[in-house]
Amino acid sequence: MGKVTGFMEFERVEEDYKPVPERVKHHKEFIIGLSNEQAKVQGARCMDCGIPFCNSGCPVNNIIPDFNDLVYRQDWQDAFTVLDSTNNFPEFTGRICPAPCEAACTLNLNDDPVGIKSIEHAIIDRAWDNGWVKPRVPRIRTGKKVAVVGSGPAGMAAAQQLARAGHDVTLFEKNDRIGGLLRYGIPDFKMEKHHIDRRVGQMEAEGVTMRTGVMIGELPKGSKVTNWAKETISPQQLQKDFDAVVLAGGAEQSRDLPVPGRDLDGIHFAMEFLPQQNKLNAGDKVKGQIRADGKHVIVIGGGDTGSDCVGTSNRHGAKSVTQFELMPMPPEQENKELTWPYWPYKLRTSSSHEEGCEREFAIATKEFTGEKGKVTGLKTVNVEMKDGKFVEIPGTEKEYKADLVLLAMGFVSPVQSILEGFGVEKDARGNARATVDFHGGYATSVPKVFAAGDIRRGQSLVVWAIREGRQAARAVDEFLMGFSDLPR
């Protein structure tokens, strides 16, 4: 703890944003990171608690007080070494993680928490700029072959850890580039994709073989799941060719809204809309792109994916953007004595909301209306919770104009046909059933097949995916070798 009274002397400093009129003209990142001095002050605010709840609040258990202190002392390289020991991809989490560590910060009880996420962001950006991020090539090869299916953060973390243990790892991705939801779900203005490309280069140098455009198993006919595969490999072939298989696909089955008029043109899942813009940003040609230019856009779903649709629609030049949320409006300030150190339920306003968006809470869509087969509006009603169910409030019916409706209500499960292709036992929510026990964890009901990330736990955060990928890698290494030196 470098500055004993730092938390009493210094206020929290937030990362700044470029002005709205400037940033909505492009799809580039617009966050202005902390300067060296600002990061030093933020590090000084850390109290180095006797029980650092931030460590347990962070799913990958980042050693937060240590790297905060090192940043305060301006020892950036050692700060990176500490951060790199627990998190494979801090440049991802430093940009898009909601920072449960900050909610758990002891200082958050009666003050603003330490800006942990902004410090993490500052550390990893300096590490890349200074060439400290290098491939860690194993000295010994085991001769064991592992297939990792799905190249999102769980798959990337599992593949990297297994390669560093000396295994021959092949990472399969059905789309045309590595990254999963990071690549085609997260807008570039939140995380530019060169961050993924740098990690891909590092992983290839460590021995990971990348195979894109390869579908393992089959998607059901008419599936809306993003898929640019040019080759298909059966689950049985994969099990035959590899000593172990890690299923690390996402919870890609979007929640639908089966109300009258759903079949009208102009109603799309968020994951039909967002990937197209990311492909366009990457220099690809996109035929028939879903555009929001000059349209009244309704985004149904109040979470992060809905917010991403808001930001993208504003960059297209939408005439208006309105976001619906079924739940009532949360309080602006949580009851910290009740919720700390857990993730609080409170109103959160994203940078995309600040760019222009009307937000409606406790509202349900009853019907889509249209003309000549195209959506022109929708009918809604306000709702309230009674006896655990949403009940319509009489007299609150309303109609909204809508030229484009984006469904961003979350994801219900992985694609079921993939799990069925492997014969993996599923839980009640349709996820792959696998425990997280210290020994034998992440193993499915099928021999030598493991599952990690959203395909196992359901829709979750990038940081949870990285944690599960790391832990599954240790479980696979132990399965193959009888023991493992990989960190869990």
Side-chain angles (χ1 to χ4, degrees), residues 23 42 71-72 75 100 246 373 418 420 436 445:
R23 71 191 195 224
Q42 279 302 294
V71 167
Y72 168 72
D75 187 349
V246 180
I418 306 301
E420 290 161 2
V436 292
S445 57

Side-chain angles (χ1 to χ4, degrees), residues 82-117:
V82 172
L83 178 58
D84 185 58
S85 70
T86 57
N87 188 349
N88 293 67
F89 314 118
E91 63 270 40
F92 303 165
T93 52
R95 285 169 167 79
I96 60 176
C97 179
C101 55
E102 294 187 13
C105 175
T106 304
L107 194 56
N108 191 42
L109 265 172
N110 58 2
D111 200 346
D112 293 325
V114 175
I116 300 166
K117 179 180 174 180

Side-chain angles (χ1 to χ4, degrees), residues 135-162:
R136 286 157 52 184
V137 181
R139 290 177 295 174
I140 300 173
R141 295 288 181 181
T142 66
K144 301 290 186 179
K145 297 173 62 179
V146 183
V148 179
V149 181
S151 73
M156 288 181 70
Q160 184 167 60
Q161 293 295 96
L162 287 164

Side-chain angles (χ1 to χ4, degrees), residues 360-364 366 379-384 391-400:
E360 299 286 350
F361 293 90
I363 190 169
K366 295 197 69 176
K379 297 179 180 179
T380 67
V381 65
N382 289 113
V383 294
E384 61 182 346
V391 178
E392 296 181 5
I393 302 174
T396 62
E397 293 81 4
K398 191 174 178 180
E399 294 190 25
Y400 288 81

